[in-house]
Amino acid sequence: MWEARAGWFWAAHDANAGPVPLDLDARREALLADLEIAFCAGAWSAVLLLAWSLVEPVDRAREARADAPSPDLDWLRERRNGLAHGANGAASPVPGREEAEGAVRVVFRQLFAEAWR
């Protein structure tokens, strides 16, 4: 199972890769490694939390530039907040693999888009 998940993770990476390789600082490199481990382990909630940690700087930069809203980032932020803080005082539903895959796709799209700027 681990190998199949790792294969999917890196296929998602390759599908979103652009002409410029990722040049992440040490913190974000570590978060990306943790994201891969969490995904391969099937720790879907951790994947969403780590994914937001990776793209939060992208979202803050977007807001500072007053760029248009990003549905992907908005979805991931809302989902992360639901997991971390609960929705209306109740725990957010536990995410499954589909949501974790969506979070990984958002991460790679946003990180590669950031690298191209």
Side-chain angles (χ1 to χ4, degrees):
M1 185 65 78
W2 184 280
E3 293 82 12
R5 290 177 181 158
W8 184 93
F9 185 90
W10 289 106
H13 170 278
D14 295 345
N16 290 284
V20 178
L22 293 178
D23 183 25
L24 303 175
D25 60 34
R27 176 186 169 277
R28 287 170 92 190
E29 277 288 339
L31 285 169
L32 186 58
D34 287 347
L35 180 70
E36 179 186 11
I37 291 168
F39 185 84
C40 291
W44 309 133
S45 294
V47 169
L48 270 75
L49 297 171
L50 289 163
W52 178 251
S53 296
L54 277 157
V55 299
E56 184 176 17
V58 175
D59 189 50
R60 288 181 188 264
R62 177 188 60 85
E63 289 176 352
R65 290 188 309 268
D67 288 351
S70 168
D72 284 348
L73 291 175
D74 292 343
W75 168 79
L76 187 54
R77 180 189 323 100
E78 288 172 16
R79 197 60 180 103
R80 179 262 179 207
N81 287 347
L83 288 168
H85 305 295
N88 298 324
S92 186
V94 177
R97 181 175 177 156
E98 286 184 12
E99 276 190 290
E101 287 177 355
V104 169
R105 285 187 196 102
V106 169
V107 166
F108 285 131
R109 273 195 304 268
Q110 295 298 324
L111 292 181
F112 280 108
E114 179 184 49
W116 302 338
R117 287 191 179 118

